[in-house]
Amino acid sequence: MSTKHEQILQHIYHLGVGEKISVRRIAKVMNVSEGTAYRAIKEAENQGIVTTIERVGTIRVEKKKENFEHLTFAEVVNIVDGQVLGGRDGLHKTLQRFVIGAMKMEAMMRYVEPGHLLIVGNRYQVHQLALEAGAAVLITGGFDTNEETIAYANEHSLPIITTSYDTFTVASMINRAIYDQLIKKEIVFVEDILIPLEDTHFLTTDHMVERWHQLNTDTSHSRFPVVNNEMKVLGMVAAKDILSMKESTPVEKVMTAEPITVNAQTSLASAAHVMVWEGIELLPVVDGESRLLGVISRQDVLKALQVAQRQPHVGDTLDDLITGNVEEAPGGSVYDYVCQLTPQMTNPIGMISYGVLSTLVTEVGSRLLRRHRKGDLVVENLSLYFLKPVQIESEIEMKGKILEVSRKSGKVDVELYLEDELVGKGLMMAQLLEK
């Protein structure tokens, strides 16, 4: 039987896109406390199926899985700190393209189509014509519009939004939001690779050790999650747990209680770190109520991480910017790598930032370890020393030395030089992931 929390989530999921949601209404319909309703709505917001807008409320929106480069009009309202003047029923719709209204009206309207967002100032006639063309309108500079236009927007469910920001700032904010989504698109989550519940083999607290042997014979696997009657994960059973145990021994007596679990929205990098750090081969994936959703294996995690690293990037993070500037030193040099220090890599006083220094040490150390032993790794410890300041637009030269490497770990010393003078130093320890 599902919990109240899950029942509320299912209720929200089956609401029509664009429908308004409130804590009080959910509590009344589902016969639960307002606290329970609030927690479920927040979970739905985390899942991306509802969004909350100031002065409008919470509405059901369509969850985007692949269409990362587009935003809903509800998201635009939040991005630009906007106020909805009309067309609230259309906030769930997806913005296909935005057009900046900085030209004559006749020329401008040639570019405005249904699904577009026209960004313009206090030009009432343009507001009306854009809505008639099926587009939403974002009015900049904190200006309003007339009552007739608002009535038309309400009638046709076309959002008309106002914001205090100017046109250039608004366009930059929307572009940045799209860019951030493209970066998020590249992050692989547990839900992308998990073995679903219907394909997952598990034990229940009613089973005996005999059942473990049956599953082991049928699947060749040796680790299984243990759940109760409500499918909540209570433990894990591995081969070492059932050694010398009679087949009639209850699973509940031999299992490892309170096992480490992850949820579907955990990043794969984080899950890999946990698996390496704890020496775990199989992780149960659970929902907010600790109910089993599936499992992920160490082998699948490593394979997915390797595939992700080979994919072309569509948005650059700060780490991408730094590591993209790290190049192998020219032949004959006593250094291993060089990096040009750009303005983005400096602190407010024009010197290399501490974060950039840590990224450079990590990158050089990782490259050296991968050259020595192919495969992935997880940084376990990093010690940094600033010796002398490095100015903006300098070229840093780096020399690395592997101090120790074993089957499971490695230690690398990295030195940073500016014009042959030592300016920084780092010591990196990493766990090596076995394939």
Side-chain angles (χ1 to χ4, degrees), residues 282-309:
L282 192 78
L283 268 180
V285 182
V286 298
D287 62 14
E289 298 294 313
S290 297
R291 289 164 60 97
L292 185 66
L293 298 177
V295 293
I296 55 171
S297 71
R298 181 171 172 143
Q299 185 177 2
D300 289 340
V301 168
L302 295 181
K303 185 186 295 183
L305 285 174
Q306 289 162 4
V307 170
Q309 287 169 2

Side-chain angles (χ1 to χ4, degrees), residues 46-58:
N46 292 335
Q47 293 180 12
I49 60 174
V50 305
T51 189
T52 302
I53 306 169
E54 192 176 353
R55 295 185 294 273
V56 173
T58 303

